[in-house]
Amino acid sequence: MARTSGGCRRTDGTSVTGRGRPALHPGAWWLWALGLGTAATRTTNPLVLALLMATSAYVVVTCRPPAPWARSYSAFLKLALAVLVIRLFFAVALGSPVPGTHVLVTLPEVPLPHWAQGIRLGGRVTAESLVFAFYDGLKLATLLICVGAANSLANPSRLLKSLPGALYETGVAVVVALTFAPNLIADVQRLRAARRLRGRPDSGVRGLLHVGLPVLEGALERSVALAAAMDARGYGRTADVPPAVRRTTAALTLGGLLGVCAGTYGLLTAEGGTYGLPLLLAGVAAALAGLRLGGRRSLRTRYRPDRWDARAWLVSGSGAAVAALLALAAANDPALHPGVVPLVAPALPVWPAAAVLLGLLPALVAPKEPS
């Protein structure tokens, strides 16, 4: 077996962990994280959202491999905090349609023209509007944290192998961008340190120009070298397919995406509840068929693709179970959507909280392997 950064690799190409077990399929991590994110969209209860964030954080700490790409979780935490702060700032500066009686502060209000009716700058800031903004921002922050968990747990290069052939070129571009991003950060830090040692400014407009230009030049040189290496290895070749197949592929893909958009809109509106789900399923089926046909243009082979084993089913199934149970509870349990008028303390619903704990299953079936 050959040693890699994420464990070992058998001579047949299958990735294995330090204990000799096959590595978990990266698609299972994404399905698990998307399940938690879907569950976060079904509630505004801060206690349930905090439980979802704690669940994802515990799984990341327990299962995250010792690899450079696995350190992105802290960046998503900072992004989620920034989103929450921005949402609260907008509620203070632009007001909120939520009526409230508990006035915290009254800001100077800027008069606006008549065509800007419904928008105000300043004015009264009530506790109800801030709590509503906090609930709304926390939901989006939880969704970002769940996506960050998937980025920290799923190996991007192994995920690329699992993509359909029609998406392979796009996946290559994304993986290359994610791989080169740490190099850009390292170049900036190296050049700033060199300028400080020479007694030259490394901040401000002048410092930015003197640091940014060498970084851009190095990035272009790496891009040209990578393009030459990929061209020498046969990347970018396409197969000849009949025109009828190309037209059918385009029609299925475009029609499927339109069906997904229309079905999603139907599910989000009260009037489209009858046709939303069938249209969404038909759109997904048409899009998958288009991707299947589109894969004929890609001349790529798989030495030994990652296997979807029982652990992958358990990990992805735990996320799907959390999403399904929270969606079912959202229609019957008002505690998942605590009110702000009148202002009441949120209560923790028992069985939806127990459903969220199912998301901890990956910590038991896919623990972190020793580095």
Side-chain angles (χ1 to χ4, degrees):
M1 288 189 295
R3 189 74 181 177
T4 63
S5 61
C8 301
R9 184 174 294 274
R10 290 197 182 102
T11 55
D12 62 357
T14 305
S15 298
V16 296
T17 60
R19 295 173 184 165
R21 296 185 304 176
L24 187 66
H25 196 288
W29 287 123
W30 273 101
L31 291 178
W32 168 81
L34 291 177
L36 296 187
T38 303
T41 62
R42 310 307 299 175
T43 178
T44 56
N45 190 311
L47 301 179
V48 178
L49 293 174
L51 190 58
L52 283 168
M53 288 188 289
T55 298
S56 66
Y58 181 80
V59 173
V60 167
V61 172
T62 306
C63 305
R64 180 171 56 183
W69 47 264
R71 303 171 185 170
S72 61
Y73 189 69
S74 59
F76 279 88
L77 290 176
K78 296 176 183 177
L79 179 60
L81 180 60
V83 166
L84 184 58
V85 172
I86 292 174
R87 182 65 180 89
L88 291 174
F89 172 77
F90 282 158
V92 173
L94 303 180
S96 175
V98 177
T101 57
H102 299 80
V103 179
L104 299 178
V105 66
T106 302
L107 301 176
E109 187 169 356
V110 179
L112 298 176
H114 67 280
W115 49 266
Q117 295 295 329
I119 302 175
R120 68 175 179 87
L121 296 176
R124 298 190 311 163
V125 179
T126 62
E128 288 84 355
S129 63
L130 285 182
V131 171
F132 177 80
F134 176 75
Y135 289 172
D136 194 39
L138 189 62
K139 180 168 65 174
L140 181 56
T142 306
L143 181 59
L144 289 174
I145 289 175
C146 293
V147 173
N151 277 276
S152 299
L153 294 169
N155 190 329
S157 60
R158 289 178 50 220
L159 183 63
L160 177 63
K161 296 195 307 180
S162 305
L163 289 178
L167 300 178
Y168 184 70
E169 296 177 354
T170 303
V172 169
V174 173
V175 170
V176 168
L178 293 176
T179 304
F180 275 8
N183 295 332
L184 293 177
I185 297 175
D187 287 347
V188 171
Q189 295 175 348
R190 177 176 53 84
L191 289 171
R192 292 186 64 184
R195 290 185 63 83
R196 285 195 298 267
L197 290 175
R198 293 180 175 92
R200 297 175 182 177
D202 63 327
S203 59
V205 178
R206 184 178 178 183
L208 179 63
L209 291 176
H210 286 83
V211 171
L213 291 178
V215 169
L216 180 60
E217 182 181 0
L220 291 176
E221 291 178 355
R222 279 194 298 267
S223 299
V224 172
L226 178 64
M230 294 178 69
D231 184 67
R233 288 168 174 80
Y235 281 88
R237 294 179 301 171
T238 57
D240 293 331
V241 294
V245 176
R246 292 199 299 266
R247 289 192 292 267
T248 304
T249 300
L252 286 174
T253 304
L254 182 59
L257 294 178
L258 292 176
V260 170
C261 294
T264 304
Y265 175 78
L267 291 177
L268 295 177
T269 58
E271 295 81 4
T274 55
Y275 68 85
L277 183 59
L279 194 58
L280 177 61
L281 295 177
V284 170
L288 291 178
L291 292 177
R292 180 72 175 180
L293 287 178
R296 296 185 178 182
R297 295 182 66 250
S298 178
L299 296 174
R300 59 185 285 246
T301 58
R302 298 179 183 176
Y303 181 55
R304 285 296 177 109
D306 291 319
R307 298 175 182 176
W308 192 276
D309 54 6
R311 293 186 302 142
W313 282 112
L314 289 174
V315 170
S316 58
S318 64
V322 174
L325 292 175
L326 262 293
L328 180 62
N332 303 315
D333 196 344
L336 290 177
H337 298 280
V340 297
V341 181
L343 197 60
V344 294
L348 180 64
V350 178
W351 79 267
V356 173
L357 296 180
L358 292 176
L360 295 173
L361 184 62
L364 301 177
V365 301
K368 181 194 298 185
E369 299 293 337
S371 59

